Amino acid sequence: MTTQVMPLNVPSSAPYISVIIPVFNEEENLEELGERLVRTLDGMNRAYEIILVDDGSSDRSWELLTQLHQQHPQVIRALQFHRNFGQHQAIFAGFQAARGQVMVTLDADLQNPPEEIPRLVAKLEEGFDTVGGWRENRQDSIFRKFPSFLINQVMSRVTGVKLRDYGCMLRAYRREVIDSINQCHESSSFIPALANLFSRKVAEIPVGHAERGRGQSKYSLLKLLRLNVDFMTGFSNFPIHLVGVLGICIALLGVAFGAFLFLRRLFVGPEVEGVFTLFAILFVFVGLNTFALALVGEYVGRIYREVRGRPRFVIRQTLGPETSLTKN
Ligand code: UDP
Ligand code: MG
């Protein structure tokens, strides 16, 4: 499929590009972000809209978004969540509100340069369904990069979703991919992986990456871990298979050990030494058992969350044209 994505069948009022940005306590960055986005997108000579989703910020972010909207009422829209629902939920809300044929996601902290958007869109127009960016010169500390490296390795093996850089949210998608994503109502998900499921042709291009100039990362190690456990259990049953195989191996080892002890009893006679070794082995088994139970619990918890079917996010107010945001 190499059809060009052209704004032919789009009514003139509808934007061609929708840029979607989650915002959580980013007051230091919003002014510059708005300015650089508008400048870049103006330069593309395509109808566009920018959707900023305030993920329950407690600082002046919403005030600044309101100002941005007032400065550029034609192109800047804003949604405000009732409380913090998470980066991916914010992007989901943005996807539902977006009207463009091409959608671009971006972080608000200016670590992903908005100036890369034209390159992503150009690549998409070569006939790809999704274009992901990977951070060529990632400007994060080693404490952030090393876990990411491990996560990238584990994730691509475990989930079978091959992405060069899972954490990079500077990505462009065709409308069709987002339409499919909008039909998924799972309560926690990982957008780049989900998009891959619905894309036939995926391209990845290197993109610039800047150090976070202002503000703090909104991800603690725990929150990052949570996101990745969600990703892993949401896209794969591999962890449960692994524990199963491990269980079988340990049981076999246990049988072998039992046989060994039995033979010693026959040939060496009764002995009590080594009772602490047995304790150590027992602890390993108990630990593994608990781990396995927790893992099953993780999947059960996931099912429970889905079955409850609570709304994934609640929107307090919107600025700019309303779009139906009924099913979330
Ligand atoms: N973010 C969000 N909700 C959250 C956490 C983060 O909307 O609960 C937004 C944040 O404002 C930023 C993007 O998600 O636009 C990425 O967050 P951050 O830069 O803190 O992550 P990092 O770059 O450290 O991975
Ligand atoms: Mg960041």
Side-chain angles (χ1 to χ4, degrees):
M1 189 181 65
T2 49
T3 46
Q4 286 275 100
V5 187
M6 293 298 282
L8 293 175
N9 52 355
V10 185
S12 57
S13 64
Y16 173 60
I17 303 173
S18 296
V19 179
I20 293 130
I21 305 169
V23 175
F24 182 48
N25 293 341
E26 301 282 1
E27 59 181 5
E28 302 96 336
N29 297 311
L30 290 177
E31 212 170 311
E32 185 184 339
L33 175 75
E35 189 194 310
R36 282 170 64 180
L37 272 172
V38 169
R39 195 175 343 119
T40 308
L41 292 163
D42 276 347
M44 290 179 76
N45 277 327
R46 295 276 178 80
Y48 70 89
E49 66 178 355
I50 301 166
I51 304 176
L52 294 137
V53 185
D54 179 358
D55 185 14
S57 300
S58 51
D59 66 355
R60 291 175 54 241
S61 291
W62 182 249
E63 214 177 300
L64 294 169
L65 292 184
T66 312
Q67 275 173 26
L68 277 177
H69 167 70
Q70 281 159 358
Q71 280 162 16
H72 308 277
Q74 301 301 325
V75 291
I76 293 192
R77 304 166 63 190
L79 311 177
Q80 187 187 30
F81 276 3
H82 238 285
R83 62 164 180 83
N84 181 240
F85 287 93
Q87 178 187 3
H88 287 256
Q89 302 305 346
I91 299 175
F92 276 125
F95 280 161
Q96 289 183 8
R99 298 166 300 167
Q101 293 301 300
V102 167
M103 314 227 182
V104 178
T105 55
L106 190 75
D107 284 349
D109 57 2
L110 294 167
Q111 286 196 277
N112 311 136
E115 291 74 21
E116 300 276 17
I117 295 175
R119 284 181 55 229
L120 284 173
V121 174
K123 189 79 191 167
L124 199 74
E125 287 175 342
E126 282 175 23
F128 292 96
D129 300 320
T130 296
V131 178
W134 58 271
R135 294 166 283 190
E136 194 170 26
N137 257 319
R138 188 164 172 196
Q139 302 292 321
D140 274 324
S141 75
I142 185 80
F143 298 106
R144 200 66 178 65
K145 276 198 279 195
F146 186 66
S148 290
F149 169 76
L150 283 184
I151 285 166
N152 272 8
Q153 296 296 316
V154 174
M155 289 306 160
S156 64
R157 290 212 166 70
V158 169
T159 60
V161 182
K162 297 268 178 286
L163 285 179
R164 188 159 180 160
D165 186 351
Y166 291 86
C168 183
M169 289 310 287
L170 182 52
R171 293 174 176 273
Y173 310 94
R174 273 172 194 263
R175 166 107 240 157
E176 292 76 13
V177 175
I178 304 303
D179 281 343
S180 305
I181 288 186
N182 283 344
Q183 285 170 27
C184 301
H185 300 291
E186 39 202 288
S187 58
S188 57
S189 198
F190 196 77
I191 287 162
L194 205 54
N196 253 34
L197 291 183
F198 301 122
S199 306
R200 259 186 302 177
K201 286 183 78 182
V202 179
E204 294 193 277
I205 61 173
V207 291
H209 189 243
E211 214 166 318
R212 201 181 228 282
R214 279 160 289 192
Q216 297 268 315
S217 170
K218 305 299 177 293
Y219 278 98
S220 61
L221 209 56
L222 200 69
K223 209 166 160 184
L224 205 64
L225 198 68
R226 186 69 253 161
L227 187 75
N228 284 290
V229 169
D230 266 355
F231 176 28
M232 204 142 62
T233 50
F235 282 83
S236 161
N237 282 331
F238 176 80
I240 246 171
H241 296 160
L242 185 73
V243 168
V245 171
L246 221 63
I248 292 171
C249 292
I250 289 170
L252 289 176
L253 279 174
V255 170
F257 190 54
F260 170 73
L261 288 180
F262 180 66
L263 289 176
R264 275 189 77 91
R265 178 74 177 78
L266 286 185
F267 295 106
V268 185
E271 40 185 4
V272 280
E273 297 88 6
V275 69
F276 289 109
T277 320
L278 272 178
F279 259 105
I281 294 168
L282 191 72
F283 279 143
V284 174
F285 290 173
V286 170
L288 269 172
N289 252 329
T290 315
F291 173 69
L293 202 65
L295 191 69
V296 174
E298 186 64 40
Y299 282 96
V300 174
R302 249 195 116 77
I303 296 168
Y304 181 49
R305 275 210 304 269
E306 300 308 331
V307 169
R308 273 190 320 216
R310 289 187 186 156
R312 292 184 296 180
F313 49 80
V314 182
I315 292 176
R316 179 184 278 170
Q317 52 182 322
T318 58
L319 299 173
E322 298 275 343
T323 22
S324 57
L325 273 164
T326 43
K327 268 202 99 181
N328 64 45

